[in-house]
Amino acid sequence: MLVTKVIMPTDKYPIKCPYSMKPEGISVHNTANDASAMSEVSYMIRNNNKVSFHEAIDDYRSVQGIDHNRNAWHAGDGAGFGNMKTIGIEICYSKSGGERFEKAERNAAERIAYLMKQYGWGLDKIIDARHSIGTHQNRSGKYCPHRTLDNGLERFWNMVREEYKELTGTEPTGQLIVVDETKNTTNRKVGDMVTIDGVYTSSSSTKKLNPAVKSGMITRIISGAKNPYLLNNGNIGWVNDSCIVSSANSQATNTNINAAPNISVGSKVVLSSNATNYATGQKIPDCYKNRNYTIMQIGNGKVLLKELYSWVYTKDLVGYSNSESNNVTNNSVTNKKSNEEIANDIITKPNFDGWGTGDTRKKKLKDAGYDPVAIQKIINQKLK
């Protein structure tokens, strides 16, 4: 990914970055704006507000405005860990969302993974007690990065883990939740959608909070706990029956509509090119379709895909294999782009159509069922 550095004038140091810093982590933000990375950094530098960050990332590149050996005012925690010890990264285009934001978010995951490798931070830093690789919300409670949180924070961390794996060859790990449905003694199931009027920070908490998000999906159940239901993999919190004002079984009335034969945890599947939305409602970017995934959990008419860390409908799965085989039979996939079309996407929108560059591009093309060598030949011919 392209990284452009803009020099912060030294006379702005007292306002924007007054202290030297040895970074110990990263704080992720959304800009809540629709400006490019260069525009965000340029505005940050020229104004005299005591507000600053190190890098802004859009669908094209990362623009760095402050050296990583200087602090910045971005985390809302005064002289705390966020402002004084972490690199502040702003993800652009979060106000309106859509394709530009999705690409910016993917670029941010790539950049964060690169910085983790550069500074020697392992994947454990995402889940440590201090949230070394964390969010603005972790630092001071502000609901930021707002759109990334709305879409599912663990989904974003999974992007970082995958990018880190590609850079280092390290197998991504994290808080991967495995549900044992045989121990569920409640009247609800994983995959049920619920509307809530309260939420708790843990399964044992007694302090009921007003939720910022009023509905979500049950993704884990701990029978016997005070608050047995985890919503959206923890991005909303824990609830009990008294918090739930309405609910709906997520399985379709006609179970055949959402049925997928011969699948189990560990099965390899293909996400259809005709899939439109995740089971949690967000739009599925085209670059994630026609690709192989591994089933991590199975809910009612839905499955959790390990590589995306997102729930999708089983009706949108078009190729299956058992967990002993990596070969996915997929005779149902249609509307797959030709090599020529993919080559044109890469040429006209380099780095920004989800394919990346170099070895990352080769891997993603191969995973999507394309021949990277053949596509590169077409690109070379077109660029002569």
Side-chain angles (χ1 to χ4, degrees):
M1 181 179 59
L2 179 65
V3 178
T4 302
K5 188 172 183 179
V6 179
I7 303 299
M8 170 70 71
T10 54
D11 63 358
K12 283 294 185 79
Y13 277 24
I15 300 171
K16 299 296 183 179
C17 52
Y19 303 107
S20 61
M21 179 181 84
K22 181 179 180 180
E24 297 180 13
I26 293 169
S27 295
V28 182
H29 308 261
N30 286 172
T31 61
N33 199 3
D34 283 336
S36 69
M38 182 60 77
S39 295
E40 295 286 357
V41 171
S42 296
Y43 175 73
M44 182 269 292
I45 290 176
R46 71 173 177 264
N47 70 49
N48 289 318
N49 301 324
K50 194 178 178 181
V51 177
S52 55
F53 52 88
H54 293 87
E55 300 187 26
I57 300 175
D58 60 19
D59 56 338
Y60 173 52
R61 61 183 168 184
S62 177
V63 179
Q64 182 177 346
I66 296 177
D67 287 333
H68 297 163
N69 62 3
R70 309 292 306 181
N71 85 302
W73 305 116
H74 55 92
D77 63 347
F81 177 74
N83 281 336
M84 304 304 291
K85 294 293 183 181
T86 69
I87 298 168
I89 289 181
E90 293 276 359
I91 304 175
C92 299
Y93 300 130
S94 68
K95 182 178 180 180
S96 297
E99 187 177 2
R100 288 191 307 179
F101 173 73
E102 290 164 0
K103 292 175 181 177
E105 201 176 45
R106 173 60 69 177
N107 283 342
E110 180 182 336
R111 180 62 173 161
I112 289 168
Y114 177 86
L115 292 173
M116 289 171 66
K117 180 184 178 184
Q118 176 182 338
Y119 288 102
W121 299 325
L123 291 168
D124 60 306
K125 296 297 185 182
I126 294 175
I127 59 172
D128 65 12
R130 192 164 60 173
H131 296 283
S132 299
I133 313 300
T135 65
H136 190 169
Q137 186 180 51
N138 294 142
R139 311 304 177 212
S140 58
K142 182 177 180 180
Y143 195 75
C144 174
H146 69 103
R147 191 169 293 277
T148 296
L149 291 170
D150 287 346
N151 291 346
L153 182 59
E154 196 62 28
R155 166 201 58 86
F156 177 70
W157 291 142
N158 196 60
M159 291 185 199
V160 175
R161 291 175 181 128
E162 289 299 321
E163 294 290 346
Y164 186 88
K165 177 186 175 182
E166 288 190 21
L167 281 172
T168 66
T170 302
E171 187 66 28
T173 59
Q175 294 175 311
L176 304 182
I177 299 168
V178 178
V179 176
D180 183 356
E181 285 289 342
T182 64
K183 297 180 180 178
N184 179 14
T185 59
T186 71
N187 293 322
R188 305 186 190 277
K189 295 181 179 180
V190 168
D192 284 355
M193 301 299 297
V194 296
T195 302
I196 59 174
D197 64 1
V199 69
Y200 295 86
T201 57
S202 72
S203 61
S204 59
S205 173
T206 58
K207 185 177 181 181
K208 187 176 182 180
L209 305 174
N210 184 34
V213 180
K214 303 295 184 181
S215 63
M217 179 190 291
I218 295 175
T219 54
R220 186 184 185 188
I221 296 175
I222 300 180
S223 296
K226 289 181 180 179
N227 316 304
Y229 312 116
L230 181 68
L231 301 188
N232 288 24
N233 295 310
N235 294 321
I236 295 176
W238 295 84
V239 299
N240 54 43
D241 288 302
S242 69
C243 301
I244 299 173
V245 296
S246 66
S247 64
N249 188 304
S250 60
Q251 192 168 14
T253 302
N254 179 357
T255 57
N256 290 326
I257 293 176
N258 276 352
N262 303 321
I263 61 170
S264 59
V265 172
S267 290
K268 303 294 183 181
V269 296
V270 174
L271 184 59
S272 171
S273 62
N274 296 318
T276 56
N277 295 89
Y278 294 113
T280 47
Q282 293 82 27
K283 181 181 177 182
I284 302 175
D286 288 340
C287 62
Y288 297 158
K289 302 175 187 177
N290 286 320
R291 296 180 62 177
N292 297 343
Y293 298 101
T294 308
I295 293 179
M296 182 177 163
Q297 291 181 34
I298 298 177
N300 293 329
K302 302 174 178 65
V303 296
L304 179 64
L305 300 182
K306 178 180 178 181
E307 292 79 7
L308 288 180
Y309 212 98
S310 297
W311 289 87
V312 300
Y313 293 110
T314 50
K315 66 182 176 62
D316 290 327
L317 304 179
V318 294
Y320 320 97
S321 76
N322 61 35
S323 56
E324 281 76 38
S325 171
N326 289 326
N327 297 319
V328 180
T329 301
N330 178 20
N331 296 321
S332 304
V333 175
T334 57
N335 301 326
K336 184 176 179 179
K337 289 185 178 182
S338 67
N339 285 354
E340 181 96 6
E341 290 173 317
I342 293 296
N344 286 335
D345 282 345
I346 292 171
I347 291 170
T348 57
K349 297 177 282 187
N351 308 338
F352 328 122
D353 202 38
W355 299 114
T357 59
D359 290 339
T360 296
R361 179 190 294 170
K362 291 178 184 178
K363 183 179 185 303
K364 289 183 177 180
L365 287 171
K366 187 176 180 180
D367 288 346
Y370 295 103
D371 182 347
V373 175
I375 290 173
Q376 189 59 50
K377 286 182 179 178
I378 296 172
I379 293 172
N380 293 343
Q381 290 172 353
K382 289 177 175 290
L383 294 178
K384 282 184 178 179

